[in-house]
Amino acid sequence: MKKGVKRILSLIVMFCIVISLQAPLNVHGAESNKIYNWSFNPSSNNEPSKTEPIYEDLLQKYGGYWIGDTMEKKIYLTFDNGYENGYTEKVLDVLKEKNVPATFFVTGHYLKEEQELIQRMVKEGHIVGNHSYHHPSLPEVSDERLRRELENLRELYKDVTGKDDMCYLRPPRGTFSERSLARSAELGYINVFWSFAYKDWVTQEQKGWKYAYDSIMKRVHPGAIMLLHSVSGDNAEALPKVIDDLQKQGYEFKSLDDLAFKRELPREFPTDESN
C-alpha cells in the first residue's frame, strides 16, 4: 500500500482504539449468558443478508458489527487464521498486487508459529484481529478465562509486532452471549461477525477455484463483511478473479477501520465544515 494510505490507516486505528475504550456505556452488570450461534440468512440476487433481530440489537448495544452500509457497494474482506495451510502467502501476494486491505483474525497458535506472516500482514497495511488464544466458546468460559484468552493474545501480538493496536475480535466458533459481548467490550474490543460465508474450511472437501468463485459471486452484496478461511486453496486461487470482477461491478474493498471510523466520525471527530 502507498505510504499516505498507511498513515491514514494508522490514524484510523488510533481513533478505533480510543473509541472502543470509551464505549459502550453501562456494560457492567448481570448480563444474560444465553448462548447464541451466529447465523445469517443469505438473500438472492445479491441483496443484503439478514440476521435475527436480537443479534442486531445486541451488537448495536455493545458496538459490534456484522454488516456495513447496505446502500454502498463496499466489501470488508476478513480471513480466519487458526493454523497455516500454505496459502496465506499467496493471499497476501494477491492483496498486495491488487492494493486491497483485509483483516486476519488469528489464534495464539498462529501467532506463535507464523510470526513472519504476521509481520508481513502488519507491514503491508492489513489488520490483525483477535480470534482468542485457544479458540474456546467465549460464553462457556469464566470472565477471567475470557480475559486471559483475549489479553494473552494481544500481548503476544505486541511482542511479535511491537504494536498495540489490536481492537477487533472475531468470537471463536461464532458463539456469543450478552455477557461475552459485554466483557470483551470492556476490554476494548469491537466484535465483528459476518454477512457472508460458505463452507470453505474443510480442507478435504475443496472443490476447485470455480466453486469458490461462484459461491462468492452469487451471494456477495453491498456492505458485506466477508468471512473466508485462509486454509482453503480454492479461496487463494479464486481471489484474484473475485477482486477484479467485483471491482468491475463497482465494488470497493475497504478496511474494518473505515467501517468503524465512519460510524464514530460524526460524533467524535467533526469535519472541517463544522468547525
Side-chain angles (χ1 to χ4, degrees):
M1 292 184 182
K2 296 180 180 179
K3 291 184 178 180
V5 174
K6 286 186 177 180
R7 285 197 293 270
I8 293 171
L9 288 177
S10 297
L11 289 172
I12 292 173
V13 168
M14 294 307 300
F15 290 144
C16 171
I17 294 171
V18 170
I19 290 162
S20 67
L21 292 174
Q22 291 176 342
L25 301 176
N26 301 320
V27 295
H28 296 279
E31 298 86 4
S32 169
N33 199 43
K34 180 179 178 180
I35 298 175
Y36 299 104
N37 292 283
W38 178 257
S39 63
F40 65 94
N41 299 314
S43 300
S44 59
N45 301 318
N46 299 107
E47 293 295 318
S49 301
K50 303 184 186 307
T51 193
E52 300 296 329
I54 190 171
Y55 298 174
E56 292 188 302
D57 291 344
L58 286 171
L59 287 180
Q60 183 174 9
K61 181 177 181 180
Y62 294 103
Y65 292 96
W66 74 281
I67 197 169
D69 187 339
T70 58
M71 301 301 292
E72 297 182 338
K73 296 187 79 170
K74 295 181 179 180
I75 296 172
Y76 306 90
L77 190 59
T78 74
F79 293 87
D80 281 4
N81 293 62
Y83 66 96
E84 182 53 40
N85 197 32
Y87 300 112
T88 304
E89 185 174 3
K90 182 168 185 176
V91 167
L92 287 169
D93 288 344
V94 172
L95 297 176
K96 183 176 181 179
E97 177 189 350
K98 307 294 184 183
N99 196 31
V100 166
T103 299
F104 295 87
F105 288 99
V106 302
T107 61
H109 170 79
Y110 199 94
L111 256 174
K112 286 194 298 182
E113 299 298 324
E114 305 298 337
Q115 296 186 12
E116 289 186 6
L117 286 173
I118 294 291
Q119 290 166 348
R120 181 179 173 186
M121 291 170 189
V122 172
K123 181 180 178 180
E124 294 181 1
H126 303 296
I127 295 170
V128 177
N130 199 320
H131 202 34
S132 81
Y133 204 98
H134 295 102
H135 204 260
S137 172
L138 295 182
E140 299 180 56
V141 302
S142 67
D143 286 359
E144 176 57 24
R145 169 78 186 279
L146 185 151
R147 184 192 66 78
R148 291 199 311 270
E149 285 287 338
L150 303 187
E151 294 303 88
N152 287 352
L153 189 87
R154 180 147 63 183
E155 286 301 314
L156 180 57
Y157 168 76
K158 190 189 306 184
D159 291 342
V160 170
T161 67
K163 293 184 174 292
D164 190 18
D165 57 2
M166 181 175 275
C167 64
Y168 297 104
L169 168 65
R170 165 96 5 106
R173 310 183 190 186
T175 60
F176 66 103
S177 67
E178 182 173 11
R179 180 184 70 87
S180 71
L181 294 177
R183 296 292 86 78
S184 55
E186 288 172 359
L187 294 169
Y189 289 99
I190 299 172
N191 282 266
V192 181
F193 292 86
W194 56 91
S195 65
F196 170 88
Y198 78 103
K199 190 177 179 181
D200 63 345
W201 61 89
V202 183
T203 56
Q204 298 85 359
E205 297 180 11
Q206 300 294 288
K207 300 178 181 180
W209 75 267
K210 187 65 164 54
Y211 177 80
Y213 173 86
D214 290 341
S215 297
I216 293 169
M217 299 300 287
K218 72 181 180 181
R219 286 184 175 169
V220 71
H221 60 82
I225 295 179
M226 186 179 294
L227 165 59
L228 299 175
H229 287 83
S230 62
V231 296
S232 166
D234 291 353
N235 286 338
E237 292 292 334
L239 190 59
K241 185 169 175 57
V242 166
I243 292 173
D244 288 345
D245 289 356
L246 287 177
Q247 287 178 333
K248 289 175 183 176
Q249 292 181 20
Y251 282 95
E252 296 179 88
F253 288 86
K254 294 292 186 178
S255 165
L256 288 180
D257 287 339
D258 179 82
L259 185 61
F261 187 58
K262 182 177 180 180
R263 173 192 279 179
E264 299 297 336
L265 180 62
R267 187 186 70 193
E268 301 291 344
F269 305 103
T271 61
D272 292 339
E273 289 79 2
S274 63
N275 287 336

